[in-house]
Amino acid sequence: MTNENEFDFEAFKQAAIKGLYEGKPLTGENGLFAPLLKHFLESALEGEMDGHLAQTRLPEQNRRNGKTTKQVKSSAGPLELQTPRDRTGSYQPQIVPKRQVILTPQLEQKVLSLYGVGNSYADISKHLLEMYGYSLSDSELTAITDKVIPAMREWQNRPLESLYTLVWLDGIYYKVRHDGKVVTRVLYSVIGLSLAGKKQVLGIYTAESESAKFWLTVLTDLKQRGVEDLLISCVDGLKGFDTAIASVFPTTTVQLCIVHQLRNSFRFVPDKYLKDLANDLKTVYQASNREQGLENLLVVQEKWGSAYPKAVQPWLEKWELLSPFFDYPPAIRKAMYTTNTVEGYHRQLRKVTKTKGAFSSDVALQKLVYLVIQNLQIKWETTTYNWKEIINQFSIIFEERIKSHRFE
């Protein structure tokens, strides 16, 4: 190693001691340890080059060829590192690889954690500046968050269980930049309830609009990943949705979401009447059986139908798909007509995405949602409330379909 690279430890020690008395920080911007870390890293790079040349050099075919300089972020603050080059370009730095601009994996994890709970790049950069004495540009932060993409792809294609007792299929709308314009995109989510009583997000998908045709591709993807049967599916009121499900999982019971139907009805009624209408409709879906539910719906139609036909008529038109939950015991019935699972999931998504405005791409949207799901899945490790009663009822009603699948 040449003299210009030799490090004067005595001078460093004296300067560090002097700096401590002057109140200078050990790390961060202009930290006292920065020169020492720079020396260690550049010495390691020189050692790597020596080893590389010893292994690869044929007579005069490869030798040193100057150095390149790049800025990196470290726990000791920003550093300007000089990396040696060889003539053939075959040397690949190991301790600080090419294009790496951050030295601490812990910092990358910190960035991902902050991003995964909804912090913007500006928020993250401000936090890093306060905590570590330096910030990162949007492009550097994007490079870090993009590191989750391979894990996300693997998760999206992972094998699934062969049977799910309940699945919820729903979409939520976001703004995404596409070809220089801001467009509306739908993020589709599929949530499944396993035989072990645990909820899982089975997959996330994006498309231009919510359609039965696209849901057909989603359901086909689930089947290709190992799902053989879905006992009950809870979906919104999209036209043709039931046909799409039947074409892939023909024995699945399709239940239209009661909450979606209620919301659609409330859109057509003045606020001062909403409480009364909600109470009247409650007599429909909380009736003791299907016949009583239909009788109560006819009473609601008589009371509200003439003034607000669009609020009531869809219930009659869709009654065959709104009423299947009456065929099941109360514990299963409640899980079918309530959407606490989906609503809670969407609430978590909105919590971290509400400040994002328009996403730069579908992938940018998906990687944030993926990080949210990883955090949410920790909470979902607990078994669903009242699961023993629910699974006992499932086992009786769907005995033949369940017994051929793994039961934990």
Coordinates of all heavy atoms in Angstrom, one line a residue, residues 12-26 32:
F12 N -4.7 10.9 14.5 CA -6.2 10.7 14.7 C -6.6 10.7 16.2 O -7.6 11.3 16.6 CB -6.6 9.3 14.1 CG -8.0 8.9 14.5 CD1 -9.1 9.5 14.0 CD2 -8.2 7.9 15.4 CE1 -10.4 9.1 14.4 CE2 -9.4 7.5 15.9 CZ -10.6 8.1 15.3
K13 N -5.8 10.0 17.0 CA -6.1 10.0 18.5 C -6.1 11.3 19.1 O -7.0 11.7 19.8 CB -5.1 9.0 19.2 CG -5.4 8.9 20.7 CD -4.4 7.9 21.3 CE -3.0 8.5 21.4 NZ -2.1 7.6 22.2
Q14 N -5.0 12.1 18.7 CA -4.9 13.5 19.3 C -6.1 14.3 18.8 O -6.7 15.1 19.6 CB -3.6 14.1 18.9 CG -2.4 13.4 19.4 CD -2.4 13.4 21.0 OE1 -2.8 14.3 21.6 NE2 -1.9 12.3 21.5
A15 N -6.4 14.2 17.5 CA -7.5 15.0 17.0 C -8.9 14.6 17.6 O -9.7 15.5 17.9 CB -7.6 14.9 15.5
A16 N -9.1 13.3 17.9 CA -10.3 12.8 18.5 C -10.4 13.3 19.9 O -11.5 13.7 20.4 CB -10.3 11.3 18.4
I17 N -9.3 13.2 20.7 CA -9.3 13.7 22.1 C -9.7 15.2 22.1 O -10.5 15.6 22.9 CB -8.0 13.4 22.8 CG1 -7.8 11.9 22.9 CG2 -7.9 14.1 24.1 CD1 -6.4 11.5 23.4
K18 N -9.0 15.9 21.2 CA -9.3 17.4 21.2 C -10.7 17.6 20.8 O -11.4 18.5 21.4 CB -8.4 18.0 20.1 CG -8.5 19.5 20.0 CD -7.4 20.1 19.1 CE -7.5 21.6 19.0 NZ -8.7 22.1 18.3
G19 N -11.3 16.9 19.9 CA -12.6 17.0 19.5 C -13.6 16.7 20.6 O -14.7 17.4 20.7
L20 N -13.3 15.7 21.4 CA -14.2 15.4 22.5 C -14.3 16.5 23.5 O -15.4 16.8 24.0 CB -13.7 14.1 23.2 CG -13.9 12.8 22.5 CD1 -13.2 11.6 23.2 CD2 -15.4 12.5 22.3
Y21 N -13.2 17.1 23.8 CA -13.2 18.2 24.7 C -13.9 19.4 24.1 O -14.4 20.3 24.8 CB -11.7 18.6 25.1 CG -11.1 17.8 26.1 CD1 -10.1 16.8 25.8 CD2 -11.6 17.8 27.5 CE1 -9.6 16.0 26.8 CE2 -11.0 17.0 28.4 CZ -10.0 16.1 28.1 OH -9.5 15.3 29.1
E22 N -14.0 19.5 22.8 CA -14.7 20.6 22.1 C -16.2 20.3 21.9 O -16.9 21.2 21.4 CB -14.0 20.9 20.8 CG -12.6 21.5 20.9 CD -11.9 21.6 19.5 OE1 -12.5 21.2 18.5 OE2 -10.8 22.2 19.5
G23 N -16.6 19.1 22.4 CA -18.0 18.8 22.3 C -18.4 18.2 21.0 O -19.6 18.2 20.7
K24 N -17.5 17.8 20.1 CA -17.9 17.3 18.8 C -18.4 15.9 19.0 O -18.0 15.1 19.8 CB -16.7 17.2 17.9 CG -16.2 18.6 17.5 CD -15.0 18.5 16.5 CE -14.5 19.9 16.0 NZ -13.4 19.8 15.0
P25 N -19.4 15.5 18.1 CA -20.0 14.1 18.2 C -19.1 13.0 17.7 O -18.2 13.3 16.9 CB -21.3 14.2 17.4 CG -20.9 15.3 16.3 CD -20.0 16.3 17.0
L26 N -19.3 11.8 18.2 CA -18.5 10.7 17.8 C -19.0 10.2 16.4 O -18.1 9.8 15.6 CB -18.6 9.5 18.8 CG -18.1 9.7 20.2 CD1 -18.4 8.5 21.0 CD2 -16.6 10.0 20.1
L32 N -16.4 12.2 14.9 CA -14.9 12.0 15.1 C -14.5 10.7 14.6 O -13.3 10.5 14.2 CB -14.7 12.1 16.6 CG -14.9 13.4 17.3 CD1 -14.7 13.3 18.8 CD2 -14.0 14.5 16.7

